[in-house]
Amino acid sequence: AQTVTQSQPEMSVQEAETVTLSCTYDTSESDYYLFWYKQPPSRQMILVIRQEAYKQQNATENRFSVNFQKAAKSFSLKISDSQLGDAAMYFCAYRTSYAGNNRKLIWGLGTSLAVNP
Amino acid sequence: KAGVTQTPRYLIKTRGQQVTLSCSPISGHRSVSWYQQTPGQGLQFLFEYFSETQRNKGNFPGRFSGRQFSNSRSEMNVSTLELGDSALYLCASSPWSGGIQETQYFGPGTRLLVL
């Protein structure tokens, strides 16, 4: 069974600085999708960035980028120029790419990010 | 496009009662998934519906059930509520078309408190 591990329950960063959140996963599959979601105090789960495992190029979305290391099964999120609005719980999630009925997201326990002014 | 909507946003029930939560997916999305979020267990998958059929089910007791209507709207029902059912229930929709398009987009959640 696949598992997702986020080893940092809490992190903090100064406004305008860069922070990296860690995520590792375990799977025997060769093709899959990885996601970072953000959940601010409103509890709305917001997609931050996504990565297809077969793509070697790391995904980037504005100030957010990932470091995807397939062999190491690592998927870290880098937030550049941190803003106060980035303060939230960040979840790493895995999903199989295979068609069929096993399409659920498997989640890490989250990292709570505080942004200090 | 309007996002995923969930109603009600907040609910307070007592043990033994039953509750029904509703989810309307993004227009054009045909798959609806439900997740339970608690401080102790984190996010856990409940079930997924597509084309009015349950396609996938998580490890929850039979008290948790759901259904999907022809317009892709979904409901989940919890019968004989227990204190441990207090949680944020999140609904997510996706197109069911394969590939990265299968990213799930979430609603604001329904917070259920069981007393």
Side-chain angles (χ1 to χ4, degrees), chain A residues 95-110:
Chain A
R95 189 177 71 77
T96 181
S97 69
Y98 294 105
N101 296 335
N102 190 20
R103 293 148 34 87
K104 63 184 179 184
L105 284 168
I106 299 169
W107 301 84
L109 292 180

mmCIF file of all heavy atoms in Angstrom, chain A residues 95-110:
data_model
loop_
_atom_site.group_PDB
_atom_site.id
_atom_site.type_symbol
_atom_site.label_atom_id
_atom_site.label_comp_id
_atom_site.label_asym_id
_atom_site.label_seq_id
_atom_site.Cartn_x
_atom_site.Cartn_y
_atom_site.Cartn_z
ATOM 1 N N ARG A 95 -1.558 9.952 -5.776
ATOM 2 C CA ARG A 95 -2.658 9.232 -6.408
ATOM 3 C C ARG A 95 -2.102 8.358 -7.525
ATOM 4 O O ARG A 95 -1.257 8.794 -8.305
ATOM 5 C CB ARG A 95 -3.686 10.197 -6.976
ATOM 6 C CG ARG A 95 -4.952 9.483 -7.447
ATOM 7 C CD ARG A 95 -5.989 10.468 -7.953
ATOM 8 N NE ARG A 95 -5.618 11.071 -9.222
ATOM 9 C CZ ARG A 95 -5.712 10.465 -10.401
ATOM 10 N NH1 ARG A 95 -6.148 9.239 -10.488
ATOM 11 N NH2 ARG A 95 -5.370 11.121 -11.500
ATOM 12 N N THR A 96 -2.609 7.168 -7.613
ATOM 13 C CA THR A 96 -2.191 6.290 -8.690
ATOM 14 C C THR A 96 -2.622 6.862 -10.029
ATOM 15 O O THR A 96 -3.608 7.595 -10.116
ATOM 16 C CB THR A 96 -2.790 4.886 -8.505
ATOM 17 O OG1 THR A 96 -2.341 4.049 -9.568
ATOM 18 C CG2 THR A 96 -4.311 4.931 -8.530
ATOM 19 N N SER A 97 -1.893 6.540 -11.065
ATOM 20 C CA SER A 97 -2.276 7.006 -12.401
ATOM 21 C C SER A 97 -3.059 5.946 -13.156
ATOM 22 O O SER A 97 -3.564 6.196 -14.238
ATOM 23 C CB SER A 97 -1.035 7.368 -13.215
ATOM 24 O OG SER A 97 -0.307 6.198 -13.532
ATOM 25 N N TYR A 98 -3.170 4.771 -12.574
ATOM 26 C CA TYR A 98 -3.828 3.697 -13.294
ATOM 27 C C TYR A 98 -5.320 3.928 -13.365
ATOM 28 O O TYR A 98 -5.930 4.402 -12.414
ATOM 29 C CB TYR A 98 -3.528 2.359 -12.629
ATOM 30 C CG TYR A 98 -2.076 1.972 -12.720
ATOM 31 C CD1 TYR A 98 -1.255 2.070 -11.609
ATOM 32 C CD2 TYR A 98 -1.522 1.558 -13.914
ATOM 33 C CE1 TYR A 98 0.086 1.737 -11.686
ATOM 34 C CE2 TYR A 98 -0.183 1.222 -13.999
ATOM 35 C CZ TYR A 98 0.614 1.318 -12.890
ATOM 36 O OH TYR A 98 1.939 0.996 -12.977
ATOM 37 N N ALA A 99 -5.880 3.613 -14.496
ATOM 38 C CA ALA A 99 -7.323 3.724 -14.660
ATOM 39 C C ALA A 99 -7.978 2.676 -13.788
ATOM 40 O O ALA A 99 -7.359 1.730 -13.338
ATOM 41 C CB ALA A 99 -7.694 3.508 -16.125
ATOM 42 N N GLY A 100 -9.213 2.890 -13.551
ATOM 43 C CA GLY A 100 -9.908 1.923 -12.719
ATOM 44 C C GLY A 100 -10.442 2.567 -11.470
ATOM 45 O O GLY A 100 -10.664 3.767 -11.394
ATOM 46 N N ASN A 101 -10.617 1.773 -10.487
ATOM 47 C CA ASN A 101 -11.388 2.231 -9.334
ATOM 48 C C ASN A 101 -10.555 2.656 -8.135
ATOM 49 O O ASN A 101 -11.116 3.039 -7.120
ATOM 50 C CB ASN A 101 -12.372 1.132 -8.928
ATOM 51 C CG ASN A 101 -13.387 0.892 -10.025
ATOM 52 O OD1 ASN A 101 -13.661 1.769 -10.818
ATOM 53 N ND2 ASN A 101 -13.923 -0.311 -10.079
ATOM 54 N N ASN A 102 -9.253 2.591 -8.209
ATOM 55 C CA ASN A 102 -8.463 2.943 -7.035
ATOM 56 C C ASN A 102 -7.865 4.326 -7.218
ATOM 57 O O ASN A 102 -6.652 4.474 -7.360
ATOM 58 C CB ASN A 102 -7.375 1.911 -6.797
ATOM 59 C CG ASN A 102 -6.694 2.123 -5.463
ATOM 60 O OD1 ASN A 102 -7.242 2.777 -4.575
ATOM 61 N ND2 ASN A 102 -5.506 1.603 -5.317
ATOM 62 N N ARG A 103 -8.709 5.338 -7.248
ATOM 63 C CA ARG A 103 -8.282 6.679 -7.601
ATOM 64 C C ARG A 103 -8.241 7.624 -6.436
ATOM 65 O O ARG A 103 -8.191 8.828 -6.608
ATOM 66 C CB ARG A 103 -9.218 7.234 -8.673
ATOM 67 C CG ARG A 103 -9.141 6.537 -10.009
ATOM 68 C CD ARG A 103 -10.479 6.546 -10.713
ATOM 69 N NE ARG A 103 -11.236 7.743 -10.449
ATOM 70 C CZ ARG A 103 -11.110 8.875 -11.161
ATOM 71 N NH1 ARG A 103 -10.255 8.950 -12.142
ATOM 72 N NH2 ARG A 103 -11.836 9.931 -10.853
ATOM 73 N N LYS A 104 -8.247 7.124 -5.221
ATOM 74 C CA LYS A 104 -8.304 7.997 -4.068
ATOM 75 C C LYS A 104 -6.967 8.699 -3.857
ATOM 76 O O LYS A 104 -5.910 8.220 -4.255
ATOM 77 C CB LYS A 104 -8.637 7.188 -2.823
ATOM 78 C CG LYS A 104 -7.565 6.155 -2.476
ATOM 79 C CD LYS A 104 -7.976 5.311 -1.295
ATOM 80 C CE LYS A 104 -6.907 4.272 -0.979
ATOM 81 N NZ LYS A 104 -7.337 3.368 0.117
ATOM 82 N N LEU A 105 -7.027 9.846 -3.200
ATOM 83 C CA LEU A 105 -5.827 10.548 -2.764
ATOM 84 C C LEU A 105 -5.370 9.959 -1.440
ATOM 85 O O LEU A 105 -6.170 9.726 -0.539
ATOM 86 C CB LEU A 105 -6.119 12.036 -2.591
ATOM 87 C CG LEU A 105 -6.237 12.866 -3.870
ATOM 88 C CD1 LEU A 105 -6.803 14.238 -3.552
ATOM 89 C CD2 LEU A 105 -4.894 12.988 -4.559
ATOM 90 N N ILE A 106 -4.068 9.724 -1.346
ATOM 91 C CA ILE A 106 -3.462 9.271 -0.096
ATOM 92 C C ILE A 106 -2.658 10.439 0.449
ATOM 93 O O ILE A 106 -1.806 10.998 -0.248
ATOM 94 C CB ILE A 106 -2.578 8.042 -0.348
ATOM 95 C CG1 ILE A 106 -3.440 6.902 -0.896
ATOM 96 C CG2 ILE A 106 -1.877 7.614 0.947
ATOM 97 C CD1 ILE A 106 -2.661 5.736 -1.425
ATOM 98 N N TRP A 107 -2.929 10.783 1.694
ATOM 99 C CA TRP A 107 -2.451 12.034 2.248
ATOM 100 C C TRP A 107 -1.366 11.852 3.308
ATOM 101 O O TRP A 107 -1.371 10.889 4.062
ATOM 102 C CB TRP A 107 -3.610 12.782 2.925
ATOM 103 C CG TRP A 107 -4.751 13.106 2.045
ATOM 104 C CD1 TRP A 107 -5.796 12.299 1.724
ATOM 105 C CD2 TRP A 107 -4.979 14.348 1.375
ATOM 106 N NE1 TRP A 107 -6.668 12.956 0.898
ATOM 107 C CE2 TRP A 107 -6.194 14.218 0.671
ATOM 108 C CE3 TRP A 107 -4.286 15.559 1.313
ATOM 109 C CZ2 TRP A 107 -6.727 15.257 -0.094
ATOM 110 C CZ3 TRP A 107 -4.822 16.587 0.551
ATOM 111 C CH2 TRP A 107 -6.024 16.429 -0.140
ATOM 112 N N GLY A 108 -0.473 12.850 3.368
ATOM 113 C CA GLY A 108 0.388 12.980 4.526
ATOM 114 C C GLY A 108 -0.382 13.669 5.642
ATOM 115 O O GLY A 108 -1.519 14.109 5.452
ATOM 116 N N LEU A 109 0.250 13.764 6.799
ATOM 117 C CA LEU A 109 -0.411 14.366 7.955
ATOM 118 C C LEU A 109 -0.337 15.886 7.979
ATOM 119 O O LEU A 109 -0.969 16.523 8.820
ATOM 120 C CB LEU A 109 0.162 13.796 9.251
ATOM 121 C CG LEU A 109 -0.159 12.322 9.500
ATOM 122 C CD1 LEU A 109 0.470 11.854 10.811
ATOM 123 C CD2 LEU A 109 -1.660 12.080 9.528
ATOM 124 N N GLY A 110 0.430 16.450 7.077
ATOM 125 C CA GLY A 110 0.465 17.891 6.953
ATOM 126 C C GLY A 110 1.614 18.560 7.673
ATOM 127 O O GLY A 110 2.181 18.020 8.628
#
